[in-house]
Amino acid sequence: MFKKILIANRGEIALRVIRTCREMGIKTVAVYSTADEESLHVRFADEAVCIGPAASSESYLKMPNIIAAAEITNADAIHPGYGFLSENAKFSKLCEEHNIKFIGATGEMIDQMGDKANAKSTMIAAGVPCVPGSEGVITDFDECEKLAEETGYPVMLKASAGGGGKGMRAVWKPEDLKEAWDSARQESKAAFGNDDMYMEKLIEEPRHIEIQIVGDSFGKACHLSERDCSVQRRHQKLTEETPSPFMTDKLREDMGNAAVKAAEFIKYEGAGTVEFLVDKHRNFYFMEMNTRIQVEHPITEEVVNYDLIREQILVAAGVPISGKNYYPQMHSIECRINAEDPHNNFRPAPGKIATFHAPGGHGVRIDTHVYAGYMIPPNYDSMIAKLITTAQTREEAINKMKRALDEFVIEGIKTTIPFHRQLMDHPDYVSGNYTTKFMEDFKMES
Ligand code: MV4
């Protein structure tokens, strides 16, 4: 087992990893930027190394500084958390070259899944259902036009280097194809330095349902059921729940099997997520695979009673998984509390937290790095806490969430607490009748 793990991240996820390491008797090293000197991850870790100034590019993304910090402190593994270097193939390879175990996917696997057209071809080969469309990258506009006719409108143009909706265009009629093709390629080139495109049939009003998987170093994988992440705004998830209100036992079995098949086909090692689009007829299609721990992992932990960070560390150390799948025994909901003003288009609202009173009680979990007096730096993402409630039924979990949101007091900055409180009363949320379009129609009440 590892003796010392360096956590190449900040905020709540750095704390989350430190906590599990403590429980496992593993020493921890925090790294931090000058903007995070007062952060809890710095105080809670056994050691801490400053790796640069506030800008992420000069600190949390600066590979040589992080490798140097691991070498100075004799860390034998690096946990990258989510974001930053967690899905950076070069960094994963760099760790390997320095004999430091990267707790995540290998560089090859990250490359393979990071290229979306390539990931899709791989999944087709594995026998995982994919949206009908182009076989790989489209070479020119002539081919694009032909393919759109064959596929049938509406179609979706997608950037192969994409993710998060960048370089993606829905096209409803042939007249609009050229403009969409040009602008999607331009956007993709600017964002990723690559303008490879592929095409799919447009799935209208899909749900975003993802399957948590874990693979070990012996080629065996299992799934831990689904999370419904359909409540999103501009490709940012706002709240997630498990089980999905749209799920059936049959669909869970089919999607779970498909996700395990995907993971075992590529000999995936570690915790990962297979994202699917699910249409109104409950057909499901592979969308993307994430080769990291995700923000919303706690809801899965709560309903299957399983520490995913611990499992990541164990499989990275070469321990085999049991091989059985895990099914929800409870209902869990996560609300992402962001330093944003929901009454003003979710505008970022960094600043100093004057008052912080967190809710508690049975079935309430809070993953956060903030406290009263904490200054939220403007340099990083705006999530300041995850509020997670767990109960026997969905209705009880919602009632518990309402109670917890009412108890939560954060003063000094604007937060998304009022949004979540209104969401928990929205008829379409309460009935579970929501898709990825939900937020397009959502209006905040004053
Ligand atoms: C789609 C789609 C409909 N049809 N693909 C958005 C992020 C990107 N990774 C894939 N996305 C979508 N792909 C086809 N063929 C609709 C979306 C989509 C979406 C997906 C999940 C969650 C929120 C979304 C919001 C808008 C569009």
Side-chain angles (χ1 to χ4, degrees), residues 116 131-132 155-156 158 162-166 168 198-208 229-230 232 235 275-277 287-288 436-437 440:
K116 309 299 176 209
V131 186
V155 297
M156 188 75 121
K158 290 185 171 182
K166 272 235 175 69
M168 192 175 81
Y198 66 107
M199 184 187 292
E200 291 182 345
K201 179 95 189 147
L202 178 80
I203 309 296
E204 292 176 55
E205 306 203 20
R207 283 173 172 79
H208 171 142
C229 308
S230 299
Q232 311 201 353
H235 304 289
E275 295 184 345
F276 293 99
L277 289 172
M287 182 162 56
E288 284 174 24
T436 54
K437 299 266 177 222
E440 290 177 19

Side-chain angles (χ1 to χ4, degrees), residues 28-249:
T28 54
V29 181
V31 293
Y32 63 99
S33 73
T34 52
D36 280 338
E37 270 163 7
E38 305 293 314
S39 275
L40 285 185
H41 76 283
V42 175
R43 285 197 244 169
F44 281 19
D46 294 301
E47 292 170 78
V49 181
C50 183
I51 51 164
S56 300
S57 59
E58 300 302 313
S59 50
Y60 297 107
L61 291 170
K62 197 99 180 166
M63 301 184 213
N65 296 18
I66 294 167
I67 297 287
E71 291 195 319
I72 296 164
T73 56
N74 259 316
D76 40 20
I78 293 183
H79 194 301
Y82 50 70
F84 295 124
L85 298 170
S86 61
E87 290 174 290
N88 187 304
K90 205 172 136 195
F91 185 64
S92 177
K93 287 174 192 164
L94 199 61
C95 289
E96 203 180 320
E97 282 160 23
H98 286 79
N99 275 317
I100 300 164
K101 179 70 186 179
F102 179 77
I103 303 176
T106 60
E108 292 74 30
M109 199 130 310
I110 295 171
D111 276 335
Q112 195 177 11
M113 289 300 126
D115 181 289
K116 309 299 176 209
N118 187 42
K120 190 174 170 181
S121 311
T122 307
M123 290 305 144
I124 292 168
V128 175
C130 293
V131 186
S134 65
E135 282 161 39
V137 172
I138 307 167
T139 47
D140 54 31
F141 183 69
D142 271 1
E143 194 193 345
C144 179
E145 261 185 317
K146 272 200 214 87
L147 265 166
E149 291 303 331
E150 274 172 40
T151 308
Y153 287 87
V155 297
M156 188 75 121
L157 284 172
K158 290 185 171 182
S160 193
K166 272 235 175 69
M168 192 175 81
R169 295 287 183 283
V171 187
W172 295 81
K173 41 189 200 302
E175 308 88 277
D176 298 340
L177 191 63
K178 183 75 171 87
E179 147 75 28
W181 167 260
D182 288 338
S183 71
R185 290 188 64 179
Q186 208 178 338
E187 189 175 303
S188 179
K189 187 87 191 171
F192 315 111
N194 174 307
D195 58 7
D196 287 349
M197 304 295 295
Y198 66 107
M199 184 187 292
E200 291 182 345
K201 179 95 189 147
L202 178 80
I203 309 296
E204 292 176 55
E205 306 203 20
R207 283 173 172 79
H208 171 142
I209 302 179
E210 57 189 31
I211 303 285
Q212 176 72 53
I213 56 108
V214 175
D216 68 18
S217 51
F218 305 91
K220 183 84 197 144
C222 69
H223 75 76
L224 294 87
S225 298
E226 81 280 5
R227 293 184 287 260
D228 195 318
C229 308
S230 299
V231 181
Q232 311 201 353
R233 188 181 168 277
R234 301 192 181 160
H235 304 289
Q236 293 292 331
K237 294 168 188 165
L238 295 167
T239 178
E240 308 90 358
E241 67 177 312
T242 181
S244 166
F246 195 62
M247 195 49 66
T248 62
D249 288 347

Side-chain angles (χ1 to χ4, degrees), residues 123 213-215 219 221 258-268 274 289:
M123 290 305 144
I213 56 108
V214 175
V260 168
K261 201 153 74 168
E264 291 189 345
F265 186 80
I266 60 173
K267 297 190 166 51
Y268 187 78
V274 186
M289 179 161 180

